[in-house]
Amino acid sequence: MRAVDIIIKQRDKEALSKAEIDYLIGNYTLGNIPDYQMSAWAMAVLLNGMTDQEITDLTLAMAHSGDMLDLSQAVKIAVDKHSTGGVGDKTTLTVAPLVAACGLPVGKMSGRGLGFSGGTIDKLESIPGFQVDLSTQQFIQQLKNHGIVLTGQSADLAPADGKLYALRDVTGTVQSIPLIASSVMSKKIAAGAQAIVLDVKVGQGAFMRTLEEATQLANVMVSIGKLSGRQVIAVLSPMDQPLGSAVGNALELKEAVEMLHGVGPEDYRYHCLHLSAYMLILGKLAKDIDEGVAMAERAIQDGSGFAKLRELVTIQGGDVSYVDDLEKLPKAPLVESVYAEGEGWAAMVDAKEVGETSVTLGAGREQKGDRIDLAVGIMVKVKVGDRVSPGQELFEIHANDPRKLQLAKERLKCAVKIVNRPVEKPPYFHGVIGM
Ligand code: URA
């Protein structure tokens, strides 16, 4: 077999066999197939799509590219959650400690930023010393002893996704249902959680722009999960405007920790409480949403969620004083705001524009392996449906470079649309698949 023949087949819209997919993924993982061939193949997948059988074969090949964890030796049931990527989506940082504090073990392998969307692992690196590359053994041991693990892709778990994810980020091959479904589900299957809540984002600031596409992605992932014997549900959540206020690594970490103290934007609070509830239902600790929400609220009020975060940071080698005193987190020297010129109601706060602007400030990568700037980002001060008056602050930009700050100001001026009639607030969720 040769990689070039597989690329040509994909380009010509012929379905790949399981043997061909296994060959491609196995040899890419081993370093025998170079990035340039894999990029060409990924672009062919993005343009031509894949059959359901190919997506399943691809997912399993990627999951089996490293160790496959069996968490049942460590805990009775472990839940995981995963977002398909959005702007300002720092949910894991709040939800994982809340759910673990409720007594349900959370073992999660997270990603780095992808395109205009941020990644949990980059955000966690705002805490000096925090280790994001745990071995399989450490993962299992920590889950057993502490009931919480947040790690990045290691060489041991789904390494094929680790390599392909970084490549897709810089080759325009992120927005593809087969590539997203296999990336998400290979990690979930390899990491061994028996129950998984998927947060499928839809809208301008998501990789799926329409509800139809997002539903298709959700259905594919739920059925791959079922085939692998996992309980999977997918929540469809809007991503036309950023979630919460903070966009950028340290800023988002700060907002996530503040939410564990019960402080922060209402949409973010609602999102965290409900995702926690779905995880608690799958983990059989809550009988319904109301009970799950009440449990998560209690973990905020009694401080047990924050205590769990401290425990996580400590065991993974991070300097816990950075979550105790959020003022210690990396800070950008230049902070300036963008103000409203007109009057009316906010009809759009463009999540994609905000996400891309934050990447140009340095919060994301433009090339594979780029170092990101943890301090920079944007605080979004307006939500769709808000009344806006002239001179009102819309965005606060945190920058390290005056030229980038100026460019960000110009871009963000166009990111909010103000109209002269009241605008309804968007829903917090569009629905749930697989319940
Ligand atoms: N999250 C992932 O893990 N992979 C993707 O491709 C997109 C979002």
Side-chain angles (χ1 to χ4, degrees):
M1 248 184 247
R2 294 187 318 158
V4 63
D5 297 323
I6 298 175
I7 298 166
I8 289 169
K9 228 174 145 181
Q10 196 85 60
R11 181 199 68 192
D12 293 346
K13 301 188 183 165
E14 289 176 50
L16 300 185
S17 67
K18 177 168 172 1
E20 286 165 331
I21 290 175
D22 287 347
Y23 173 87
L24 193 73
I25 296 300
N27 280 289
Y28 180 54
T29 309
L30 291 173
N32 299 335
I33 294 178
D35 277 353
Y36 56 81
Q37 283 192 306
M38 222 46 195
S39 309
W41 170 79
M43 186 57 84
V45 173
L46 178 130
L47 295 173
N48 295 337
M50 276 184 148
T51 64
D52 285 354
Q53 185 60 53
E54 284 178 292
I55 302 175
T56 306
D57 291 341
L58 177 61
T59 306
L60 294 180
M62 284 164 61
H64 286 275
S65 64
D67 290 345
M68 296 283 285
L69 296 193
D70 176 5
L71 300 182
S72 61
Q73 316 153 0
V75 287
K76 212 159 80 202
I77 183 163
V79 281
D80 195 346
K81 81 152 270 284
H82 200 87
S83 155
T84 56
V87 177
D89 185 7
K90 69 271 326 167
T91 312
T92 295
L93 298 167
T94 302
V95 157
L98 284 182
V99 171
C102 293
L104 183 59
V106 179
K108 172 154 171 56
M109 194 181 358
S110 291
R112 294 195 178 274
L114 192 60
F116 54 78
S117 80
T120 303
I121 292 303
D122 292 330
K123 294 167 202 172
L124 278 167
E125 283 183 341
S126 309
I127 305 169
F130 191 93
Q131 280 172 36
V132 294
D133 50 359
L134 302 187
S135 70
T136 304
Q137 220 30 54
Q138 285 171 308
F139 188 104
I140 294 182
Q141 211 48 47
Q142 187 174 315
L143 188 68
K144 195 169 172 175
N145 296 341
H146 299 275
I148 187 165
V149 188
L150 280 187
T151 181
Q153 227 125 14
S154 66
D156 302 340
L157 292 177
D161 179 56
K163 288 186 78 176
L164 197 49
Y165 191 92
L167 193 66
R168 287 170 54 220
D169 187 23
V170 291
T171 54
T173 50
V174 173
Q175 266 105 331
S176 149
I177 290 180
L179 296 179
I180 296 177
S182 55
S183 163
V184 171
M185 292 310 292
S186 63
K187 282 192 281 272
K188 303 298 99 180
I189 292 169
Q194 298 94 327
I196 302 155
V197 175
L198 299 172
D199 185 7
V200 179
K201 303 287 189 194
V202 53
Q204 287 310 311
F207 300 127
M208 298 293 106
R209 294 287 156 76
T210 64
L211 195 51
E212 195 186 342
E213 282 175 327
T215 306
Q216 201 186 337
L217 173 63
N219 278 324
V220 171
M221 293 195 290
V222 169
S223 62
I224 294 174
K226 283 206 179 110
L227 281 175
S228 341
R230 318 296 161 108
Q231 231 191 317
V232 183
I233 66 161
V235 176
L236 296 165
S237 47
M239 186 33 81
D240 286 305
Q241 61 180 338
L243 180 63
S245 171
V247 178
N249 299 286
L251 294 173
E252 288 188 48
L253 181 80
K254 181 166 185 270
E255 187 163 273
V257 177
E258 284 169 350
M259 187 51 72
L260 288 170
H261 295 301
V263 176
E266 189 44 40
D267 62 332
Y268 181 54
R269 179 182 170 85
Y270 185 97
H271 194 78
C272 288
L273 292 176
H274 283 75
L275 280 199
S276 302
Y278 283 118
M279 291 171 80
L280 291 165
I281 292 172
L282 286 196
K284 309 211 175 347
L285 287 191
K287 64 176 182 320
D288 56 26
I289 281 288
D290 288 347
E291 190 179 10
V293 166
M295 287 171 74
E297 270 175 334
R298 234 176 0 255
I300 291 179
Q301 276 153 18
D302 66 13
S304 57
F306 179 63
K308 205 71 197 172
L309 178 76
R310 288 190 90 252
E311 185 180 342
L312 171 77
V313 170
T314 309
I315 33 172
Q316 289 193 212
D319 182 343
V320 81
S321 69
Y322 280 70
V323 294
D324 287 341
D325 177 6
L326 296 169
E327 290 307 307
K328 286 180 80 172
L329 287 169
K331 272 208 191 87
L334 307 171
V335 180
E336 286 189 22
S337 297
V338 172
Y339 300 96
E341 285 168 10
E343 174 165 21
W345 285 265
M348 177 193 76
V349 181
D350 188 334
K352 183 154 184 275
E353 197 58 23
V354 174
E356 285 179 351
T357 305
S358 141
V359 171
T360 62
L361 284 168
R365 294 175 183 80
E366 287 179 6
Q367 293 200 358
K368 197 174 148 184
D370 273 358
R371 271 180 75 86
I372 56 170
D373 187 336
L374 295 166
V376 300
I378 298 159
M379 296 300 291
V380 181
K381 306 279 183 154
V382 62
K383 286 276 159 192
V384 170
D386 284 356
R387 187 92 173 90
V388 176
S389 28
Q392 184 177 324
E393 189 184 29
L394 300 177
F395 300 102
E396 184 184 82
I397 306 171
H398 293 238
N400 254 328
D401 172 329
R403 199 180 48 85
K404 290 182 181 171
L405 171 66
Q406 205 43 44
L407 286 174
K409 273 182 150 174
E410 294 304 319
R411 281 188 80 160
L412 290 177
K413 269 186 198 156
C414 311
V416 175
K417 186 169 160 203
I418 297 170
V419 298
N420 60 7
R421 62 193 143 66
V423 174
E424 227 179 276
K425 295 240 170 223
Y428 287 133
F429 289 121
H430 290 301
V432 185
I433 289 176
M435 274 285 267

